[in-house]
Amino acid sequence: MKILIIGGTNFIGPYVIRHLHAMGYHDITLFHRGQAEIDMPATVKHIYGDKMNLVQHRAAFQSLSPDVVVDMIAYTEKDTELVLRTFRGITNRLVMISSQDVYRAYGVVRQADKGSLEPMPISETSALRNNRHPYQDPAKDPDDWCNLYDKIPLEEMVMNDPYIKATIVRLPAVYGSNDPQHRLFHYFKLKPLRDGRSIILLDEGYANWLWTHGYVEDVAYGIALAITNERAIGRLYNITEPQTRTMLDFIHAIGKQLDWNGEIIQVPSGHLPDELGIPLRTEQNIIVESNRIREELGYREAFSFEEGLKKTIAWELAHLPVEIGLDYDKEDAMLKELREAGVI
């Protein structure tokens, strides 16, 4: 099987390539800009270029004649239209990496949808968002990615294209080594845990919110299965961990690995300042199930939750994000104020 991957040089892609290589698929070509330093198997071939100039490389793609094209960086309708047009007549199979932010529950959490709560768990047939462009920001340029990004129309484009047999893989919030978003710092209090803070304040709604995640090496294995199994043609798949944990449980699990012995105090919603509060509708959980990919493609995790978390923590602590700055004096003053007011 000849596999062409568009993108795939940053977070998840290298793990996908390593899984494919370990599974015996050695005819792998990577199309990318050549700007990232990546550790790849020596057999991986490279075509260098920008995705927005994809059509200029059509002759090289025709010569390669891939059995399947994998789009790891499908973000806008314009770039997806380019993929479909460029590979028409070259391949009839496309795997597109999507996101679980397509589900209506995500719109409810972000307060873009003011309606009723979505029932849980979420499956591939659950309702999709009513609002488009979930991260749009009117203050930014109309051509900024946040005002163009939306996976819903992209899924519709590839699934309805008459020349392509498509597979859609919807990913959860992914954590692991090389995470450019540093999720453990931004969402799971890794810095105060590492710093040994005796008390951590946490919004009560956020503490008990359930949000499905996935460890990067396991998620990448699910993608590799969807690429290499023809049963995946025409199918949509969620990839998720088998158990969705509360944010509080996730933070406690990190603390346990760091031998942290402090206390997390849950603060009633609305009492923390903006920088400590969470602007989410946390009564809407995001619990996504992945029965379909487990039953149809035999997906299973290779790492336990604890193993994946341990590897992620080690990488995060070795690659501290410079923008993570916490004002502990301000937090201490807030703790005193909340206690004096009888809030906690």
Side-chain angles (χ1 to χ4, degrees):
M1 175 182 283
K2 290 182 286 186
I3 302 168
L4 172 64
I5 299 176
I6 302 172
T9 60
N10 289 318
F11 181 28
I12 303 172
Y15 293 106
V16 173
I17 292 168
R18 289 176 200 135
H19 278 301
L20 290 170
H21 189 266
M23 294 161 71
Y25 295 95
H26 298 159
D27 199 341
I28 303 169
T29 301
L30 193 59
F31 177 83
H32 62 109
R33 293 177 295 178
Q35 296 180 354
E37 294 184 8
I38 46 178
D39 180 20
M40 295 285 180
T43 55
V44 174
K45 298 183 285 290
H46 301 264
I47 299 175
Y48 297 103
D50 190 290
K51 187 180 183 184
M52 298 314 295
N53 299 321
L54 203 61
V55 71
Q56 296 177 10
H57 301 271
R58 184 173 164 83
F61 298 143
Q62 283 180 317
S63 177
L64 179 65
S65 187
D67 297 298
V68 57
V69 173
V70 184
D71 191 352
M72 297 290 299
I73 50 173
Y75 297 133
T76 71
E77 293 173 74
K78 183 178 181 180
D79 72 62
T80 297
E81 191 278 330
L82 269 174
V83 170
L84 293 173
R85 177 157 47 90
T86 299
F87 290 100
R88 191 163 295 157
I90 293 177
T91 188
N92 67 352
R93 182 139 190 258
L94 173 68
V95 176
M96 192 191 91
I97 305 307
S98 187
S99 167
Q100 289 163 19
D101 68 13
V102 298
Y103 292 114
R104 179 179 173 269
Y106 194 79
V108 175
V109 164
R110 291 183 62 85
Q111 304 185 65
D113 189 321
K114 304 297 184 182
S116 60
L117 300 180
E118 274 291 300
M120 295 292 108
I122 296 169
S123 73
E124 289 85 354
T125 60
S126 293
L128 302 184
R129 276 185 286 102
N130 296 312
N131 65 299
R132 293 295 182 261
H133 309 297
Y135 308 109
Q136 63 184 328
D137 185 348
K140 294 186 177 180
D141 189 290
D143 290 330
D144 189 271
W145 78 270
C146 68
N147 293 315
L148 298 174
Y149 168 94
D150 194 341
K151 297 281 192 177
I152 293 177
L154 313 190
E155 291 188 0
E156 294 172 348
M157 289 170 69
V158 301
M159 292 301 278
N160 294 325
D161 189 286
Y163 303 99
I164 286 289
K165 297 175 182 178
T167 301
I168 304 293
V169 183
R170 293 172 175 165
L171 304 189
V174 182
Y175 62 94
S177 300
N178 299 312
D179 176 12
Q181 295 190 38
H182 293 280
R183 287 172 175 83
L184 263 59
F185 276 98
H186 286 289
Y187 303 126
F188 296 110
K189 303 293 183 179
L190 181 55
K191 189 174 191 301
L193 291 170
R194 182 210 64 169
D195 292 344
R197 293 282 289 171
S198 60
I199 292 176
I200 294 175
L201 299 176
L202 200 62
D203 177 270
E204 184 177 48
Y206 185 73
N208 296 286
W209 183 43
L210 290 154
W211 182 19
T212 297
H213 283 71
Y215 174 60
V216 63
E217 293 185 73
D218 290 325
V219 169
Y221 177 59
I223 295 171
L225 288 175
I227 294 169
T228 57
N229 195 322
E230 289 196 352
R231 188 174 181 183
I233 291 173
R235 302 296 278 164
L236 292 160
Y237 293 110
N238 291 326
I239 300 178
T240 70
E241 289 179 329
Q243 176 186 349
T244 298
R245 294 167 175 80
T246 66
M247 306 303 277
L248 182 62
D249 286 343
F250 212 122
I251 294 169
H252 275 308
I254 296 171
K256 182 178 180 180
Q257 296 218 15
L258 294 175
D259 294 322
W260 180 74
N261 295 311
E263 178 186 5
I264 295 176
I265 296 180
Q266 298 184 42
V267 180
S269 296
H271 288 277
L272 289 175
D274 289 346
E275 61 268 29
L276 295 177
I278 304 295
L280 302 174
R281 189 179 174 187
T282 52
E283 63 266 34
Q284 173 66 73
N285 292 313
I286 299 182
I287 306 170
V288 186
E289 55 93 349
S290 51
N291 294 335
R292 180 181 290 179
I293 194 169
R294 294 174 188 277
E295 294 170 1
E296 294 185 3
L297 305 186
Y299 171 71
R300 297 293 184 272
E301 289 77 10
F303 297 88
S304 69
F305 173 67
E306 291 75 18
E307 289 170 331
L309 195 58
K310 181 178 181 179
K311 296 179 75 169
T312 306
I313 292 170
W315 181 86
E316 289 281 14
L317 294 180
H319 300 83
L320 300 176
V322 295
E323 73 276 11
I324 300 294
L326 297 177
D327 188 339
Y328 290 144
D329 289 338
K330 187 173 183 178
E331 287 191 23
D332 290 340
M334 174 58 59
L335 174 62
K336 182 179 179 182
E337 181 180 325
L338 291 170
R339 280 176 167 164
E340 291 176 347
V343 175
I344 57 176

